[in-house]
Amino acid sequence: GQAPLLRRRFARRGVHRRYSGAAGGPGEDPDLVRGGLAVQPLHLHHRHQRELRARRLRRHALDPHLLDEGCRVLQAAFWYGLIVHFRIYPIIYAIPFVIVLGKNYAGPAGRPVLTQWISKQQLQSNKGRENVEEPTSLLANLWNFLSSLITRDTILFGLFSGSMFFAWTGIFFYLYGWEFLNEALLYHLTRTDPRHNFSIYFYHIYLHHQQGFSSIQRLASFLPQLIVQLALIVRFSRDLPFCMFLQTVAFVAFNKVMTAQYFVWFFCLLPLILPWTGMKLRWKGLACALVWMGSQLHWLMWAYLLEFKGRNVFVQLWAAGIVFLAANTFVMIMVIRHHRHTPLFSVPVGPGTKIAAKKD
């Protein structure tokens, strides 16, 4: 305890000698020494503090870890903007990405600290681990959501990914004109699709397709989808793969148009969440699969009668769509109830500890 104190005292004496010598004064004035510490004149103290701040800023600006982190954020923003340009639906993942970027997950090496991905058996036997946690209260998650939106990385990611999206869109608009813009983007805002599909909105669209739809009607069909998306983001954003899976299932289930090709969007995310589910294939997992596939086959039966047999079964087909929405909602609730919520990244401990060094 005495050695660091003596080093600080001698360091302050040396600083005073250097500044007092440069000013033309004596090396050390006995009147300025109090209890073995050299007390600097006020203007020299301020000058020294300014130099220290300038040195810290230069070191901060040239820190390779910070520069590397900024480059990785720009790379992620570049590819995300390009992907959204080619396929618009990944835009629903923007807010979870921003929330994760806003958290202080960077370790001493400038890289985010991943939680340890362990097997299902280990997870069940280690439920008390600190890196496996249940979601906190809704108000706590809402506060974390709002406080994480504005940081250096989130602003950088948002501006650059948005710039990439608009840049690529502008290039192709210059090449192909309004036809490209309508087919690629504007079509999704005005799409009605009066043909039958899995969506619960198809029958209303079929009946009113010739008259058109007002802005209130369009908003009414979009609002449930938006509310469900925001609720899932606020609740599960820290468990990023699981949040993306739930978002995709909900986006497809509540969309105005739903065809079988949309199911691939969330099937590809299943391998990322199955190791953390406590649901056994027998019997709950099998029941979920049967409910989902059975409701889909029920819908396909009425679609077959309409399309190939020419029967007037529009109402029955619409009711089958409602049953299919209920089946999707049931499966989502079951998956949520049996999922072990594991944050993708863990908040790093102090850089000087052994744990942080081991994780890096």
Side-chain angles (χ1 to χ4, degrees), residues 57-317:
L57 290 175
R58 287 194 297 269
R59 187 166 58 249
H60 182 82
L62 298 177
D63 190 345
H65 294 156
L66 294 176
L67 294 175
D68 190 28
E69 181 183 354
C71 291
R72 287 196 297 270
V73 172
L74 290 178
Q75 291 178 34
F78 171 84
W79 292 113
Y80 183 65
L82 181 63
I83 289 171
V84 173
H85 163 73
F86 281 110
R87 193 71 174 179
I88 193 67
Y89 90 90
I91 193 68
I92 64 176
Y93 308 135
I95 298 180
F97 289 166
V98 167
I99 293 176
V100 172
L101 284 173
K103 298 292 184 180
N104 186 22
Y105 293 136
R111 298 180 178 86
V113 181
L114 286 170
T115 54
Q116 185 179 2
W117 283 36
I118 53 182
S119 66
K120 177 181 176 183
Q121 290 77 15
Q122 290 174 320
L123 184 64
Q124 289 177 347
S125 61
N126 294 302
K127 293 184 178 181
R129 294 177 62 95
E130 291 182 358
N131 63 337
V132 179
E133 61 183 45
E134 297 292 339
T136 55
S137 65
L138 181 61
L139 291 178
N141 280 318
L142 181 61
W143 172 252
N144 291 333
F145 165 70
L146 295 175
S147 62
S148 302
L149 290 181
I150 303 177
T151 64
R152 171 185 171 274
D153 287 340
T154 59
I155 294 175
L156 192 64
F157 180 84
L159 289 178
F160 195 72
S161 61
S163 299
M164 289 305 306
F165 171 78
F166 286 111
W168 284 105
T169 304
I171 291 172
F172 284 92
F173 176 73
Y174 174 78
L175 294 175
Y176 301 105
W178 283 101
E179 183 180 1
F180 159 77
L181 199 62
N182 286 324
E183 295 293 333
L185 297 177
L186 300 180
Y187 170 70
H188 294 283
L189 300 177
T190 58
R191 182 179 183 181
T192 54
D193 201 344
R195 303 296 295 176
H196 57 279
N197 62 81
F198 289 100
S199 174
I200 61 174
Y201 300 105
F202 106 88
Y203 191 48
H204 177 78
I205 294 174
Y206 174 78
L207 293 177
H208 300 85
H209 179 68
Q210 298 296 330
Q211 294 87 349
F213 301 94
S214 64
S215 299
I216 297 178
Q217 289 176 320
R218 295 181 187 275
L219 180 62
S221 62
F222 175 71
L223 198 57
Q225 193 177 38
L226 177 63
I227 294 174
V228 173
Q229 288 291 314
L230 291 178
L232 293 174
I233 290 171
V234 171
R235 187 67 171 173
F236 303 107
S237 59
R238 287 196 64 195
D239 193 348
L240 188 58
F242 186 62
C243 181
M244 293 171 63
F245 173 80
L246 293 179
Q247 279 187 271
T248 311
V249 175
F251 179 81
V252 172
F254 287 87
N255 202 27
K256 290 190 299 183
V257 178
M258 177 173 37
T259 59
Q261 63 175 335
Y262 293 0
F263 303 152
V264 181
W265 296 356
F266 55 83
F267 281 160
C268 65
L269 297 173
L270 272 174
L272 295 178
I273 70 166
L274 288 180
W276 285 270
T277 183
M279 186 187 303
K280 301 291 186 180
L281 180 60
R282 179 184 175 184
W283 295 97
K284 291 183 179 179
L286 185 61
C288 288
L290 289 177
V291 167
W292 190 82
M293 294 178 64
S295 61
Q296 186 176 167
L297 290 173
H298 174 248
W299 184 94
L300 289 172
M301 179 193 70
W302 295 109
Y304 171 79
L305 293 176
L306 174 66
E307 188 72 20
F308 294 95
K309 299 299 182 179
R311 298 184 183 179
N312 185 9
V313 290
F314 281 97
V315 176
Q316 293 89 328
L317 188 62

